[in-house]
Amino acid sequence: MKVMLIVPPYPKDKIFRKSMKSLGAVLPPLGIAYIAAMLEKYSHEVKIIDGPAMATVLEYGFEELEKDIKEFSPDLTGISASTSQMGHAKKTLKIIKENNPNCITVLGGALISADTNALLHFNDADYGVYGEADLTFPEIIKKIENKEKIEGSEGLIWRENNIVNFLKPKVIMNLDDIPMPARHLLNMKIYRPSPANYRRLPATTMMTSRGCPYKCIFCSKPTIGTAFRAHSAKRVVDEIEHLVNEYGIKDIQMFDDTFTLLPERTKEICKGIIERKLDIGWNCMTRVDRIDKEITELMKKAGCYEMGFGIESGSERMLKFIKKGVTKQQIRNGVKLAKNSGIHVRGFFMMGFPTETKKEVLETIEFAKELDVDVAQFMVSTPFPGTELWEIAKMSGEINEDWSSFTFYAPDEVPFTSKLLSKNDILDLYKKAYKSFYLRPKFILRQFLYIRSFTDIERQWNAAKGILGL
């Protein structure tokens, strides 16, 4: 069967403030690349359209998408769309049905998993998929080819008498059973990380695990599955070696929520990189309470140059409110531990939570400066449907009805406002956070001292343009 997997065209300046566009990453869509690999395993012909990347780098739009749909003429199309892309998903579905009425259309993404009734609002979507769809797509396609009824399939969302029904998918417990992402179906040359997230080019991304056992109220993981599962250390190192040999990759961003959750696996990955003498630099995200001296020093030896920590707030009250599960002192200790091992620290901070005051946002900004992280990424609290934060936000303020504002990065609008913080308050604090952190003489001097190559100069220049343009 001919299958087209689409992420709708969506230029990055619709996600980031225009001045921050140069800081925005353009990354491979690993989710649909995994699905594509599973479909190829069963001999299906697959084409991927990575709309956001192609729109940003190649000025690809809906006219080009329509042309590709006509030329490929898929039997089934899967559309993956985040909450902020729902308008683009509707337009994509309409184009498919206008040009190929018999094509089966399947909508996936966080919103439809969080609210399956959303399928009723997408007239041109025949079905939806719930959560991870690696197993769902091959199963429903097999049934279609056998002329069997697909309603009732695990992982499928369907309509019946204008009522939405669904079954959750099977949980993939052994991730090593899934082929490596079908990167050969992507134009790997168009991707770029943000300036702070690489040291050498070409760079790319990997996911070595799925799921997260923690309970942060803002996280959308509960809508798509929280069970933590991980690739074996050998499989991870095999994929790194594949990226080095096949694509000449020099730098990898590990996209796991908590890369070091399993300490022994982390050590085995690092030892594998060292033993195979892979020339690779990499960064990852984890928690301040999931590292120790032995692990950080081994990670550094294996090429890890940066760790990202979800710090979120400088207010003890807000850390408890969002169920982060750590204290400010634990955060201080974790940041210090990473830095003492020679690993840079990227801190993620959020502002605009329900019940949060301006004073508490200012505490967060000051905490970022106290920690003196190497990179601070400030984001706007975004109450995605299906999260605990969504339920709290509905009772605590006003949720923006424009889904395109649900991006974290405060382009022009904000997704949520409360009686304590207005839209203008949040946007002003967002600008203040970036400028007060990055325009410190101490920080600027340190960036000059970090320069080791022309690539470093280029990275720093792109970052500076974004900050100064706020």
Side-chain angles (χ1 to χ4, degrees), residues 330-346:
Q330 284 177 295
I331 293 169
R332 293 185 183 101
N333 294 343
V335 170
K336 183 178 180 181
L337 180 59
K339 286 192 165 195
N340 286 346
S341 297
I343 296 175
H344 288 191
V345 173
R346 182 187 188 96

Side-chain angles (χ1 to χ4, degrees), residues 389-409:
L389 181 59
W390 170 265
E391 299 302 325
I392 295 171
K394 286 195 296 185
M395 299 182 292
S396 305
E398 184 176 341
I399 297 177
N400 196 329
E401 294 182 358
D402 178 6
W403 290 116
S404 66
S405 68
F406 280 61
T407 69
F408 284 123
Y409 300 104

